[in-house]
Amino acid sequence: MIRVQNQDFDINHEYQLLASKAEAGAIVTFVGLVREMNLAKKVTALHLEHYPNMTEKSLRNIVQQAKQRWELIDVTLIHRVGTLGLNQQIVFVGVSSQHRREAFAACEFIMDYLKTQAPFWKKEHTESGELWLDANDKDTAAAKRWQR
């Protein structure tokens, strides 16, 4: 399941959907939050924009790549857009598989590719003004390690 939405999501509900598959032996989840500090600036909010068709296509591609690499039972990827305040949830990635190694690897892979390949535009609101963000070197290096 892939969703891009303005409204918040319920982690417990999403987990229960993943856990409803009897063959699942492992579920790994990740939730990204709006943090207070970035680039040595105090963040007050984060604004995310996207082009709907382009974004959903990109997210489907990332999930499909994960499913080709690992034996996965199910994947949930939810990404919020709009203006979010501090500590609000931005992204949920949930992966179920029979074994933990596949679930951990796939979850990490999806997040690494999401940070560098998904067409979201992020603008931080800080005490000193607004700043559009690009993928940083750390995220780019993390995604490169998955290249074959």
Side-chain angles (χ1 to χ4, degrees):
M1 174 187 315
I2 297 170
R3 298 193 319 259
V4 178
Q5 60 193 43
N6 289 92
Q7 69 272 22
D8 201 1
F9 49 85
D10 180 337
I11 298 168
N12 187 49
H13 174 75
E14 301 305 331
Y15 174 84
Q16 292 303 322
L17 291 174
L18 289 165
S20 68
K21 307 279 174 61
E23 65 271 28
I27 296 172
V28 172
T29 63
F30 172 83
V31 176
L33 305 173
V34 178
R35 65 180 172 260
E36 181 182 34
M37 293 294 288
N38 191 37
L39 302 173
K41 294 183 181 186
K42 187 168 182 165
V43 175
T44 58
L46 178 66
H47 181 78
L48 297 109
E49 296 181 6
H50 77 300
Y51 292 118
N53 291 334
M54 180 190 300
T55 303
E56 279 90 359
K57 181 179 178 182
S58 176
L59 298 181
R60 280 192 304 273
N61 182 41
I62 292 167
V63 169
Q64 187 60 36
Q65 287 181 57
K67 288 180 174 180
Q68 289 172 351
R69 288 175 180 245
W70 297 280
E71 291 184 32
L72 306 178
I73 296 166
D74 206 0
V75 175
T76 299
L77 172 52
I78 304 169
H79 205 296
R80 294 181 64 198
V81 292
T83 302
L84 306 173
L86 293 180
N87 281 14
Q88 287 191 312
Q89 299 176 137
I90 306 168
V91 63
F92 175 90
V93 176
V95 177
S96 65
S97 67
Q98 289 185 340
H99 306 286
R100 72 180 187 277
R101 292 193 201 290
E102 285 92 355
F104 274 112
C107 190
E108 193 169 10
F109 170 87
I110 290 168
M111 274 309 304
D112 287 345
Y113 271 59
L114 184 63
K115 293 284 284 183
T116 58
Q117 294 186 4
F120 289 100
W121 292 270
K122 299 176 184 178
K123 179 171 48 173
E124 283 186 340
H125 299 262
T126 71
E127 292 179 335
S128 58
E130 298 175 346
L131 172 68
W132 286 100
L133 302 175
D134 292 321
N136 62 42
D137 293 339
K138 188 172 92 173
D139 292 332
T140 302
K144 282 184 180 180
R145 71 190 169 109
W146 298 107
Q147 294 175 356
R148 294 182 183 189

